[in-house]
Amino acid sequence: MLTIKNLHANIGDNKILQGLDLTLEAGKVHVIMGPNGAGKSTLSKAIVGHYDVEVTEGSIDYKGKDIVKLPAEERALEGIFMSFQNPTEIPGVNNAYFLRTALNAKLKHEGKEELNAAEFLRVMREKLSSLEMKTDMLSRSLNEGFSGGEKKRNEILQMLILKPDVIILDEIDSGLDIDALKAVAEGINSMQDGKRTFLVITHYRRLLDYLTPDYIHVLKNGKILKTAGVELVDKLEEEGYDWIKAE
Amino acid sequence: MENNTLDKAVSADYQLGFEVDIETDTIEAGLDEETIRFISAKKEEPLWMLEIRLKAFKKWQKMSEPHWAHLNYEPIDYQSISYFSAPKNAPDSLDEVDPKILEAYKKLGIPLDEQKQLQGIAVDAVFDSVSVKTTYSEELQKHGVIFCSISEAIQDHPELVKKYMFSVVPMTDNYFAALNSAVFTDGTFVYIPKGVRCPMELSTYFRINALNTGQFERTLIIADEGSYVSYNEGCSAPTRDEHQLHAAVVELITMKDAEIKYSTIQNWYPGDEDGKGGIYNFVTKRGLCKGDNSKISWTQVETGSAITWKYPSCVLKGDNSVGEFYSVAVTTLAQQADTGTKMIHLGKNTSSTIVSKGISAMKGQNIYRGLVKVAKSATNARNHSECDSLLIGDQCGAHTFPYLESKDNQGQIEHEASTSKISDEQLFYLRQRGISEEDAVSMIVHGFCKEVFSQLPMEYAVEAKALLNLTLEGSVG
Ligand SMILES: Nc1ncnc2c1ncn2[C@@H]1O[C@H](COP(=O)(O)OP(=O)(O)OP(=O)(O)O)[C@@H](O)[C@H]1O
Ligand SMILES: [Mg+2]
């Protein structure tokens, strides 16, 4: 579904990713773990075309073409979604209005009919209650004054509405209480349809217990150094990352 | 975000810069007593009006142009301006209005012919120095509402004009007001009788067309006891390399329990990115809350003009009276705006609200200048001010000058100010959700202006939003 080959990426003068290879398979849940500062967020940013990250070498093939040069909004419209580790606040921009604009941009891109306000609200109500979010979250400004957990739920809400094909979740579990964690995990699971790909970045197994990960990848020294099944999580929790060396 | 992207987003071409070719009656440039006699004679004015004009002119000659504003512009040569230009054969009925003028207004989205008039909005169309048409006048008359050009009011309602003109903005209030008092050519007059809620929106559309002419209009709105009116003003001018002067005076008066809501969408030609051409907009607007429990609310969306010098103000004389000022001022290209308000609290329990949103892009300079004055008599006065600036790119600037004069410390006065930039992070967030960069900028800017737009009557809010999009179009791409 998405194939990364020999990816080299810098932030400023720092070489963060150095020849990273990774293939995301359709219908699978990929997990990336690794030490702080290893470049996990940098990898997700490289995939979505973030302005901080400069790709100097390598390719990211998606839907039959290299997307490295594609503007961020086009990657998004083509179905790549990333939940932000720290979602930004935008004062005065109504959350519902933002969601509807984003959804309609996507529908338009797909040549589908845009949703009218009533249809949109119906869809929203349903998703909100599944995430146990209060309806007033819709009328508030985008992320403004949201608590950490509310911001994360709002990211998942956007995922549910936009129905992307590649879903990158960067530490979606950080700062969530137990109930929120469950609600978020359920949201993620509800999106599994055997076609969508998930790239879940996390430090802890507690989220993974609610999901069905297919692969655990370890990112270290600018590369994916190890790929294994879910059993790797236990070992990492016990022993950390020191023992992982280039194979 | 890269700078050239930004610049593109904020440099959309001015859309209303067309010019119509019509025969005009334009006097030669220059200003002396004869000019004033000429204007007065053209308008067949009564002698008392001419005398007032001449008196204002004498006073103006002794005054000097103010330069305290944070503005940089070439000196204005008052002798190189023509002070009167009117389409030939001033029409008595619409059939006689030059079709080219009708066409011009149609292009501006303001059809004047009977069948196509805007629903629920009465319009006074002022073209250069004259009012060419006032719609719905007769219908409004049924409610006792007077809605006509100021020239007609001088003829038909001299008692009202004599009583109220200059009562809020004295002839010598300031240099530009004095000039206007001497040479004003047309404008709008509104009177709402006691207890009447004006059944439709009233509006004036000012169009400058002729070359090298100044536009000096004068507007007077009186809301008698317990009445209400919502009035809107719009304007535009052709794209030209020369600067043109617009120096207007607006006076509002509310009696006991009356309310005036005054909205402006100012879209004069802004000049180009090097500061060539564009309107110099020096305007005096002031409202007097004369009666108890009365209210005056100013809402302005300022996107045009090369230079804007404008401080719509409220004198809160009646007890419990309320003054409001909501403003969005956009400066892009090489535009400069020095704008804000004065709230003068005289009566007891008077309250005022100031919400100012300044947006600067490219080489635009945006100044907020505001005064809140609380007299000793104004016990328990309240003011809340909020001045926010949004910068797009790094060549533009914003400054805030809030002044406070209070003789009374029982009052409650709050001032908040902020300056922000559209951050790359915000733009990226929206783009990651599939929203184009241009739409993302517009979304953030609209979010910033929301409090002000929500004050506009619906039809105008739509227009203001579209205008803002156009003004900022191309800041990304
Ligand atoms: N904007 C930036 N400017 C400078 N350095 C940066 C910037 N963003 C990230 N870095 C650096 O790049 C490296 C990789 O950061 P990244 O955020 O990708 O790590 P991570 O694996 O996601 O870490 P964590 O687990 O802590 O989230 C770090 O050393 C970080 O300090
Ligand atoms: Mg990270």
Side-chain angles (χ1 to χ4, degrees):
Chain A
M1 173 132 233
L2 191 137
T3 308
I4 301 171
K5 283 196 193 123
N6 188 33
L7 193 70
H8 290 254
N10 300 349
I11 293 187
D13 293 333
N14 298 338
K15 295 188 161 71
I16 314 287
L17 304 180
Q18 304 179 60
L20 181 140
D21 296 305
L22 178 66
T23 299
L24 301 181
E25 296 173 14
K28 303 289 187 198
V29 177
H30 296 258
V31 175
I32 295 197
M33 302 183 84
N36 290 130
K40 301 181 295 297
S41 294
T42 305
L43 172 62
S44 11
K45 286 177 178 172
I47 300 173
V48 295
H50 191 277
Y51 54 90
D52 268 350
V53 178
E54 185 199 357
V55 172
T56 53
E57 218 185 309
S59 61
I60 304 174
D61 288 325
Y62 175 64
K63 290 190 178 169
K65 64 177 175 200
D66 185 359
I67 60 168
V68 163
K69 295 253 150 56
L70 213 60
E73 54 267 45
E74 284 175 40
R75 302 189 203 194
L77 292 171
E78 285 296 322
I80 302 179
F81 175 93
M82 175 180 86
S83 77
F84 287 76
Q85 196 170 344
N86 301 304
T88 188
E89 304 192 356
I90 308 188
V93 174
N94 174 278
N95 199 19
Y97 176 70
F98 154 71
L99 285 163
R100 190 164 157 226
T101 307
L103 176 57
N104 282 339
K106 178 107 195 276
L107 291 173
K108 193 172 163 204
H109 179 78
E110 288 165 356
K112 294 186 188 145
E113 194 127 336
E114 300 185 1
L115 283 193
N116 66 36
E119 291 164 336
F120 174 74
L121 263 157
R122 195 183 48 73
V123 176
M124 290 304 296
R125 290 244 163 74
E126 193 185 299
K127 306 290 184 202
L128 276 173
S129 71
S130 80
L131 286 168
E132 293 164 32
M133 287 171 76
K134 284 179 251 138
T135 17
D136 83 323
M137 302 299 278
L138 283 184
S139 48
R140 286 171 61 180
S141 289
L142 178 53
N143 291 328
E144 195 183 31
F146 284 23
S147 75
E150 286 168 343
K151 284 184 182 164
K152 293 296 168 85
R153 285 186 213 223
N154 204 40
E155 295 289 294
I156 295 299
L157 177 66
Q158 294 168 45
M159 172 194 80
L160 293 177
I161 298 282
L162 295 173
K163 302 198 174 79
D165 302 317
V166 174
I167 297 170
I168 305 169
L169 302 165
D170 192 355
E171 295 198 28
I172 193 72
D173 50 344
S174 69
L176 291 186
D177 65 31
I178 307 284
D179 291 337
L181 188 70
K182 274 192 202 158
V184 162
E186 271 165 33
I188 299 170
N189 288 332
S190 76
M191 294 293 283
Q192 286 211 48
D193 63 350
K195 292 189 210 107
R196 290 199 173 91
T197 299
F198 294 81
L199 181 63
V200 180
I201 298 172
T202 183
H203 289 292
Y204 307 105
R205 67 171 298 159
R206 54 174 209 156
L207 170 66
L208 302 179
D209 286 342
Y210 293 107
L211 304 179
T212 52
D214 296 290
Y215 301 102
I216 309 293
H217 309 278
V218 177
L219 199 166
K220 203 182 145 184
N221 303 340
K223 291 186 174 121
I224 299 293
L225 287 189
K226 192 166 186 66
T227 294
V230 72
E231 67 285 350
L232 181 63
V233 180
D234 285 335
K235 191 165 158 111
L236 291 174
E237 289 234 317
E238 273 164 40
E239 300 179 25
Y241 298 103
D242 278 354
W243 62 276
I244 295 183
K245 304 264 156 43
E247 279 162 10
Chain B
M1 190 166 42
E2 296 193 5
N3 261 322
N4 56 359
T5 338
L6 278 170
D7 287 356
K8 264 176 81 190
V10 293
S11 61
D13 287 342
Y14 186 69
Q15 305 281 317
L16 304 177
F18 64 88
E19 179 181 348
V20 290
D21 181 21
I22 46 161
E23 268 193 77
T24 58
D25 223 347
T26 304
I27 54 167
E28 281 191 19
L31 179 58
D32 56 20
E33 267 193 36
E34 275 319 298
T35 323
I36 289 159
R37 286 180 197 282
F38 174 88
I39 294 171
S40 193
K42 268 279 166 198
K43 302 202 155 280
E44 298 167 19
E45 281 178 355
L47 190 63
W48 59 267
M49 194 69 242
L50 174 64
E51 283 168 354
I52 289 175
R53 287 176 180 277
L54 291 172
K55 193 169 146 200
F57 181 62
K58 284 217 172 69
K59 300 211 163 166
W60 176 75
Q61 284 178 307
K62 296 199 191 87
M63 297 170 82
S64 50
E65 204 182 280
H67 287 285
W68 43 261
H70 211 80
L71 299 169
N72 247 317
Y73 54 90
E74 294 156 31
I76 302 168
D77 177 2
Y78 294 91
Q79 295 303 333
S80 72
I81 298 170
S82 162
Y83 288 82
F84 187 88
S85 174
K88 268 225 168 94
N89 314 322
D92 285 329
S93 81
L94 192 69
D95 302 338
E96 296 166 32
V97 177
D98 190 323
K100 284 179 185 158
I101 295 179
L102 295 181
E103 193 54 38
Y105 277 95
K106 212 167 124 199
K107 263 194 190 172
L108 298 167
I110 307 155
L112 296 175
D113 42 296
E114 307 291 342
Q115 295 84 29
K116 298 193 190 103
Q117 285 168 9
L118 300 170
Q119 276 300 312
I121 303 174
V123 182
D124 182 16
V126 177
F127 196 82
D128 291 327
S129 303
V130 291
S131 166
V132 289
K133 168 76 188 167
T134 307
T135 65
Y136 292 112
S137 288
E138 278 144 45
E139 168 139 10
L140 287 164
Q141 253 166 38
K142 288 184 206 146
H143 299 266
V145 171
I146 306 172
F147 177 54
C148 64
S149 72
I150 199 93
S151 308
E152 282 173 74
I154 290 167
Q155 307 284 351
D156 301 343
H157 309 282
E159 64 306 332
L160 288 171
V161 175
K162 277 185 191 168
K163 187 164 174 196
Y164 293 111
M165 197 188 258
F166 309 109
S167 74
V168 187
V169 178
M171 190 187 279
T172 52
D173 186 80
N174 66 71
Y175 187 77
F176 298 106
L179 176 62
N180 175 289
S181 304
V183 304
F184 74 90
T185 41
D186 223 328
T188 305
F189 177 82
V190 178
Y191 173 79
I192 316 288
K194 278 186 191 165
V196 171
R197 204 182 156 82
C198 186
M200 56 178 87
E201 297 276 335
L202 303 185
S203 76
T204 304
Y205 197 93
F206 296 101
R207 176 73 182 174
I208 293 178
N209 189 65
L211 183 70
N212 287 332
T213 51
Q215 195 178 49
F216 304 92
E217 85 264 1
R218 197 151 186 123
T219 297
L220 177 58
I221 303 178
I222 303 147
D224 215 330
E225 287 182 18
S227 69
Y228 170 84
V229 64
S230 169
Y231 174 90
N232 313 277
E233 152 199 88
C235 49
S236 61
T239 300
R240 292 226 173 84
D241 288 348
E242 299 82 14
H243 295 294
Q244 276 180 284
L245 178 63
H246 173 255
V249 171
V250 175
E251 293 174 284
L252 311 183
I253 297 142
T254 49
M255 305 304 181
K256 192 163 169 285
D257 301 319
E259 178 177 348
I260 299 177
K261 194 172 162 52
Y262 191 109
S263 312
T264 304
I265 296 182
Q266 188 263 105
N267 186 23
W268 295 117
Y269 175 57
D272 71 8
E273 67 222 52
D274 301 317
K276 199 169 180 196
I279 301 293
Y280 285 172
N281 193 31
F282 292 89
V283 171
T284 306
K285 289 183 167 174
R286 194 173 304 150
L288 172 64
C289 285
K290 197 167 182 189
D292 294 350
N293 315 313
S294 64
K295 180 175 174 183
I296 289 179
S297 178
W298 299 101
T299 304
Q300 60 172 24
V301 175
E302 304 280 315
T303 62
S305 296
I307 302 281
T308 298
W309 180 97
K310 180 180 170 189
Y311 316 89
S313 304
C314 298
V315 179
L316 305 171
K317 191 161 172 238
D319 290 347
N320 313 312
S321 59
V322 175
E324 292 176 341
F325 174 74
Y326 293 94
S327 169
V328 165
V330 186
T331 52
T332 169
L333 304 161
Q335 288 175 279
Q336 306 172 55
D338 191 308
T339 183
T341 185
K342 283 192 268 185
M343 293 290 173
I344 314 291
H345 292 255
L346 302 176
K348 295 188 193 73
N349 304 315
T350 46
S351 71
S352 59
T353 303
I354 299 172
V355 177
S356 158
K357 305 277 180 181
I359 301 165
S360 317
M362 300 182 76
K363 287 185 267 173
Q365 290 294 330
N366 217 316
I367 315 305
Y368 169 80
R369 187 184 303 278
L371 169 68
V372 176
K373 187 169 177 173
V374 182
K376 213 169 185 156
S377 54
T379 49
N380 200 25
R382 292 181 308 281
N383 165 267
H384 180 81
S385 306
E386 202 183 305
C387 304
D388 300 318
S389 310
L390 184 69
L391 305 177
I392 306 177
D394 44 23
Q395 282 180 284
C396 56
H399 303 276
T400 318
F401 300 108
Y403 302 98
L404 170 67
E405 282 175 36
S406 178
K407 299 252 163 35
D408 163 33
N409 43 22
Q410 315 166 43
Q412 197 188 329
I413 290 167
E414 302 157 353
H415 179 85
E416 291 169 32
S418 77
T419 300
S420 50
K421 278 196 143 194
I422 292 190
S423 73
D424 291 342
E425 219 183 317
Q426 292 174 328
L427 278 179
F428 184 76
Y429 189 90
L430 299 176
R431 293 174 61 208
Q432 209 304 300
R433 299 308 186 237
I435 297 168
S436 73
E437 193 167 11
E438 200 161 297
D439 288 349
V441 169
S442 137
M443 202 178 233
I444 295 168
V445 170
H446 286 290
F448 178 75
C449 300
K450 197 177 190 171
E451 262 176 285
V452 175
F453 285 170
S454 67
Q455 295 295 326
L456 289 169
M458 236 231 305
E459 306 81 1
Y460 295 92
V462 172
E463 188 188 333
K465 284 181 188 172
L467 183 59
L468 192 66
N469 278 352
L470 272 178
T471 309
L472 295 174
E473 192 173 84
S475 60
V476 288

